[in-house]
Amino acid sequence: MKTIANLKIGESAYIKAFLQPDLSLKLLEMGCLPGEEVTLDFVAPLGDPIGIQVNGYCLAMRREEAATVEVI
Amino acid sequence: MKKTPTIALLGNPNSGKSSLFNQLTGLRQKVGNFPSVTVERKSGTFALDHSQTATVIDFPGLYSLYPKALDERVVIDVLSNPQHEDYPDAVIIVADASNLKRNLLLFTQVADLGLPVVLALNMLDVAEDKNLKINAVKLAMKLGVPVVRINARVGEGMDNLKKAIQETLTVNTGFQKYYFDPAEQFPELIGEVKQQYSLRNNYLALHYVQQHDIFSFVSPEKRAALDGLIQKHDFREHGFQAAETMHRYALIDGLVKDSVTTSNFIPKPLWTRRLDDILLHSFWGYAVFLMVMLVIFQSVFSLASYPMDWIDGGIAWLNDGLKSLLPESTLTSLLTDGLVAGIGGVVVFIPQIAFLFLLVAMLEESGYMSRVMVIMDRLMRKVGLNGKSVVPLISGVACAVPAIMSARSIGNRKERLLTILVTPLMSCSARLPIFTILIALVVPATPILGFFTLQGLTLLGLYLLGTVSALLSAWALRGFVPNTEKGYFVMEMPTYKAPRWNHVGIAVWESVRSFVVEAGKIIVAISIILWVLASYGPADSMERAEAQVRQAQPTLSGVDLDNAVAAQKLENSYAGHFGKFIEPAIAPLGYDWKIGIALLTSFAAREVFVGTVSTIYSLGAEVDEDNATLKDRLRAEINPRTGQPTYNLATSFSLLIFYVFAMMCMSTIATVYRETHGWKWPAVQFVYMTGLAYLLAFLTYQVLK
């Protein structure tokens, strides 16, 4: 299964499903909707957190959080 | 229309909400708390037109009416309760136009509550950088509310905004239609809630269902009754909230389709991309961060010293002037040695505090702070903290009280509690006066590498010591703090902006004003009490002082005699007895009874130390024009037993170390009590910090003496 945490810098994918219900409420409000395109924007110096482009802006999250968002 | 209507200011974080608040109110701001919760409530007044003024309340920034952080709870608590004194007559939603869809989520929620709304479109320049064009007229038609283009940073569009508010207040068109109507899916549940709580709005009824646990105005019995309704109707809170958000976003897609156009969308403006390449770089990111910190501390120490010297000299001049003008009496002594010395101790540190707040405010305004959180998260997690702990820790350099309150943005309970426990180890501005004076006494101002001085580097060393201790303490304490809730790091990365001087200026003014008023009150009060304790003694001990001196040193006369008598009087006073009483406990740290008095009084607040020593030494020592400033008085102070200066290297450094670690601030203790709901954590904090202080000051003195 591929998640946001598996993306490489500049790589895009579409959100398919959320694996963690509580976090999904927060991510939905931030504009991470099923079917939305996400692009990996940056990886912080020590490999974590990461930043994605979604819904027209940049959103940072920890790798473990990114791993709860399945993409295709 | 009410005499003074209340306008609520709502919006996403980073939407320019605070800028708009500053534009509307200028310096007519009041900072307090929302009733019964310790969430900062900023309010102010502004003129809608010649005859009408309005009160505007700046609410915490949030992405939706379902709060994710503690501070955000106050918004739905106020908006759900028409009886609340802050319940608004109209709402301004500030929206980041470069990010319209996400900003409209909150708009549709607030509009569904039936509140009159004006949409203020801000940051249109950033939208333009992203190649977005927004047609406000079309958007207003689609949304059915006034949409005003503003630039909150420079103050454009304020007149139109005020006009729109006025129209909304006078011509209330009434509620139109729901963007999202929960009664479509759960008609019985919503109907029953509306009936039982006499509500008229379906969406408000939904919030009763979803969020009654955080409503301060709903009694425990009613909460239980709502839980019963949820079960009866088989309502799934979680799934329904997710469905609501998705429904709203789908609707917003349609709403903005015609009004937002783009030819070649750029998700990240060029300058933000370039700066991120450097500031998030694995080497340059940390290098820049360290440089920024270094420049802050160096400028606080060296640039602020000029105005501080002027103020210090001015206070001494004022004191001498008053003493020569006024007849010698108890009242004169109270005025000069008590009051002016005490006030001088506060006023002299305004430049340093202003500098610190200025630089911290600029980092926040520019958007750089979010990058710091990102590059620090991994490191902070190693010691049990969170990247977001950086803000409380850096703000802790100004004052631990707002810093501890800002830890609420950390969603994870354990990481938040650890942040609260270690933040007071960051050297706050109240320690700065003590550091400054002691360093200036024993460290020479030798220049190093041109820009830096040995004094500046020593100060930096103390700040680093505080920071490293904060991190190590977090690491040591992390095993003792339970983890009960899951929190997230998910955070928007704002575009970079040049800080606006007027906004930074207001932030600095507010901070300095509250420091002078709040800290000043305590310091002046303690200065006066101390003057009394130092001027009077048990029975006739003060009267005996002169006889004692004449007996011990019969050859003394003139000024020398006066000084010796004054010193003997201080020793015989209540304060002297007090200091002598604790001297055995602090002698191993290298302190005498005079320092003991200062230590005890500064358990109320550290900054009192300087006021105290200036009161003690102006009473106990000779005062002529050559050694009128506090620094000179301390330097002239001689330890009668050793014949050496009291403030030698060992004692001064022992004091510096003590003040780095000791938990000496009533306001901080009270804040930690409020934030952690009990005495357990403030007690833990007090014991571990003060224990560290005693131990490390002892070691320092024994090694250096």
Side-chain angles (χ1 to χ4, degrees):
Chain A
M1 185 189 63
K2 192 174 178 181
T3 66
I4 291 182
N6 304 124
L7 294 177
K8 294 181 187 65
I9 289 186
E11 188 186 350
S12 300
Y14 294 91
I15 295 175
K16 187 179 163 201
F18 298 99
L19 309 174
Q20 218 255 44
D22 281 327
L23 183 56
S24 77
L25 286 181
K26 171 74 179 166
L27 290 170
L28 284 171
E29 282 172 1
M30 300 302 284
C32 299
L33 302 154
E36 194 79 23
E37 185 177 11
V38 292
T39 309
L40 188 67
D41 185 77
F42 68 81
V43 175
L46 300 167
D48 192 15
I50 62 166
I52 57 167
Q53 292 291 343
V54 64
N55 221 306
Y57 76 103
C58 184
L59 186 67
M61 63 182 75
R62 285 180 178 168
R63 218 166 247 290
E64 56 177 23
E65 292 163 345
T68 70
V69 186
E70 191 182 350
V71 293
I72 43 168
Chain B
M1 188 162 30
K2 272 202 303 194
K3 196 110 183 37
T4 317
T6 302
I7 315 290
L9 208 51
L10 292 175
N12 287 186
N14 307 309
S15 61
K17 194 169 57 67
S18 303
S19 299
L20 177 59
F21 179 72
N22 286 339
Q23 287 292 351
L24 287 173
T25 59
L27 286 173
R28 295 178 303 279
Q29 300 186 0
K30 270 204 316 215
V31 183
N33 279 337
F34 284 98
S36 77
V37 281
T38 48
V39 177
E40 189 182 74
R41 174 188 180 278
K42 282 163 86 182
S43 65
T45 55
F46 68 99
L48 278 171
D49 61 18
H50 309 297
S51 56
Q52 178 88 39
T53 56
T55 303
V56 59
I57 300 173
D58 189 15
F59 281 86
L62 76 176
Y63 292 101
S64 106
L65 288 181
Y66 296 96
K68 298 293 181 292
L70 282 174
D71 263 15
E72 302 172 3
R73 289 183 177 183
V74 73
V75 176
I76 189 66
D77 197 44
V78 172
L79 296 188
S80 304
N81 180 9
Q83 263 69 54
H84 198 285
E85 59 186 272
D86 290 329
Y87 188 78
D89 299 293
V91 178
I92 302 174
I93 302 268
V94 189
D96 169 2
S98 74
N99 217 327
L100 196 57
K101 282 197 230 169
R102 201 200 61 216
N103 280 259
L104 284 181
L105 177 71
L106 179 66
F107 164 82
T108 63
Q109 290 179 333
V110 175
D112 276 351
L113 284 177
L115 286 156
V117 179
V118 173
L119 183 67
L121 278 186
N122 192 28
M123 293 168 67
L124 288 147
D125 45 348
V126 182
E128 217 162 279
D129 288 345
K130 291 184 174 183
N131 281 338
L132 291 169
K133 282 200 173 55
I134 292 154
N135 188 325
V137 180
K138 275 190 186 168
L139 191 62
M141 297 213 331
K142 279 276 188 191
L143 301 178
V145 303
V147 176
V148 186
R149 301 169 70 99
I150 63 164
N151 185 336
R153 281 155 57 75
V154 299
E156 277 169 19
M158 293 303 119
D159 289 338
N160 289 340
L161 181 63
K162 288 174 185 173
K163 243 179 260 167
I165 298 166
Q166 226 173 3
E167 273 167 35
T168 307
L169 286 168
T170 42
V171 197
N172 196 348
T173 46
F175 190 67
Q176 313 229 310
K177 66 168 181 27
Y178 293 105
Y179 290 99
F180 172 79
D181 186 357
E184 279 177 13
Q185 243 188 300
F186 284 92
E188 293 94 6
L189 171 64
I190 297 296
E192 275 182 62
V193 173
K194 279 169 75 174
Q195 198 209 341
Q196 287 184 17
Y197 297 91
S198 336
L199 306 175
R200 296 223 305 267
N201 183 292
N202 293 352
Y203 190 54
L204 180 56
L206 177 67
H207 279 284
Y208 268 71
V209 174
Q210 293 271 31
Q211 313 216 59
H212 53 269
D213 284 338
I214 60 167
F215 282 177
S216 62
F217 55 93
V218 173
S219 66
E221 299 83 57
K222 285 184 170 174
R223 290 182 194 179
L226 281 161
D227 285 332
L229 281 179
I230 291 173
Q231 276 204 323
K232 179 179 151 196
H233 293 279
D234 193 24
F235 178 82
R236 302 286 159 87
E237 288 143 292
H238 207 283
F240 199 76
Q241 192 184 329
E244 179 193 333
T245 307
M246 285 195 274
H247 178 98
R248 286 183 189 279
Y249 266 112
L251 207 69
I252 289 166
D253 262 338
L255 289 171
V256 302
K257 212 166 85 191
D258 298 332
S259 20
V260 181
T261 47
T262 177
S263 44
N264 178 23
F265 180 64
I266 304 166
K268 212 173 185 181
L270 189 62
W271 272 107
T272 296
R273 173 155 296 286
R274 281 186 182 163
L275 280 169
D276 271 353
D277 283 346
I278 300 167
L279 299 176
L280 297 172
H281 188 268
S282 50
F283 172 75
W284 292 113
Y286 296 108
V288 170
F289 179 53
L290 271 182
M291 268 325 278
V292 167
M293 291 293 118
L294 204 62
V295 167
I296 286 181
F297 296 128
Q298 179 62 21
S299 57
V300 161
F301 199 63
S302 61
L303 290 181
S305 68
Y306 299 103
M308 288 174 71
D309 285 345
W310 304 334
I311 296 174
D312 212 13
I315 298 284
W317 174 83
L318 181 68
N319 231 343
D320 286 345
L322 284 174
K323 276 187 180 170
S324 58
L325 275 177
L326 298 170
E328 205 169 301
S329 70
T330 315
L331 206 65
T332 308
S333 173
L334 171 64
L335 182 70
T336 55
D337 295 329
L339 207 57
V340 174
I343 293 174
V346 184
V347 174
V348 73
F349 298 105
I350 290 177
Q352 273 182 337
I353 286 157
F355 256 102
L356 249 177
F357 279 117
L358 173 81
L359 296 163
V360 170
M362 274 170 56
L363 292 190
E364 296 239 29
E365 269 258 318
S366 63
Y368 178 54
M369 209 61 115
S370 316
R371 274 69 186 183
V372 173
M373 292 179 195
V374 164
I375 64 171
M376 296 304 286
D377 184 59
R378 190 71 197 279
L379 295 171
M380 296 299 239
R381 258 194 288 168
K382 283 207 168 27
V383 297
L385 300 174
N386 182 308
K388 293 180 185 173
S389 308
V390 171
V391 172
L393 291 180
I394 295 180
S395 319
V397 168
C399 176
V401 172
I404 284 170
M405 286 170 68
S406 73
R408 287 160 182 233
S409 65
I410 302 169
N412 181 298
R413 201 188 106 85
K414 178 175 179 170
E415 291 170 344
R416 173 165 170 258
L417 191 52
L418 276 174
T419 306
I420 290 174
L421 287 177
V422 304
T423 293
L425 281 172
M426 300 300 291
S427 286
C428 64
S429 50
R431 287 162 169 122
L432 202 52
I434 305 164
F435 290 173
T436 313
I437 269 197
L438 294 173
I439 289 177
L441 274 178
V442 290
V443 179
T446 321
I448 288 174
L449 297 174
F451 181 65
F452 305 108
T453 65
L454 196 54
Q455 293 184 338
L457 289 182
T458 308
L459 183 70
L460 182 71
L462 290 174
Y463 275 93
L464 283 180
L465 178 65
T467 311
V468 170
S469 313
L471 298 177
L472 288 179
S473 306
W475 181 80
L477 290 167
R478 77 194 193 292
F480 300 98
V481 177
N483 193 8
T484 47
E485 270 171 55
K486 190 98 189 77
Y488 322 118
F489 185 77
V490 178
M491 173 177 78
E492 178 184 1
M493 301 295 282
T495 51
Y496 291 101
K497 297 164 202 80
R500 298 294 302 190
W501 292 111
N502 49 346
H503 300 152
V504 173
I506 288 174
V508 172
W509 164 253
E510 274 304 321
S511 320
V512 169
R513 197 189 56 85
S514 69
F515 171 81
V516 171
V517 175
E518 297 308 319
K521 274 191 289 203
I522 306 175
I523 294 170
V524 169
I526 292 184
S527 297
I528 292 174
I529 293 171
L530 206 78
W531 175 86
V532 173
L533 290 179
S535 303
Y536 297 92
D540 62 341
S541 59
M542 297 302 268
E543 286 72 38
R544 284 209 316 271
E546 192 168 340
Q548 283 171 345
V549 171
R550 279 185 195 280
Q551 205 177 5
Q553 296 161 289
T555 54
L556 280 182
S557 65
V559 180
D560 290 338
L561 177 67
D562 289 346
N563 289 335
V565 170
Q568 186 67 41
K569 275 187 175 169
L570 180 61
E571 206 168 338
N572 285 5
S573 69
Y574 288 112
H577 284 284
F578 213 39
K580 289 252 159 106
F581 176 70
I582 63 157
E583 198 170 29
I586 55 172
L589 312 186
Y591 311 152
D592 65 4
W593 56 273
K594 286 186 183 176
I595 299 176
I597 300 172
L599 276 188
L600 276 181
T601 54
S602 60
F603 264 95
R606 298 177 185 94
E607 56 271 36
V608 172
F609 176 86
V610 176
T612 305
V613 290
S614 72
T615 308
I616 293 174
Y617 292 120
S618 63
L619 283 168
E622 54 187 305
V623 178
D624 58 42
E625 261 152 77
D626 291 334
N627 63 356
T629 68
L630 179 57
K631 205 196 314 184
D632 300 324
R633 268 189 241 134
L634 293 185
R635 187 167 282 144
E637 187 67 15
I638 300 290
N639 186 331
R641 259 170 303 174
T642 60
Q644 298 292 314
T646 306
Y647 290 88
N648 59 12
L649 194 72
T651 297
S652 298
F653 266 92
S654 163
L655 263 178
L656 285 172
I657 297 296
F658 190 86
Y659 275 94
V660 166
F661 289 97
M663 175 63 183
M664 301 203 285
C665 177
M666 298 284 199
S667 321
T668 305
I669 293 173
T671 308
V672 175
Y673 167 75
R674 274 198 320 242
E675 296 290 308
T676 60
H677 307 292
W679 285 114
K680 181 181 169 195
W681 295 111
V684 167
Q685 192 172 32
F686 182 83
V687 170
Y688 99 83
M689 285 180 66
T690 309
L692 270 180
Y694 191 89
L695 190 72
L696 294 172
F698 172 75
L699 290 176
T700 307
Y701 182 70
Q702 297 303 327
V703 168
L704 287 178
K705 79 169 178 182

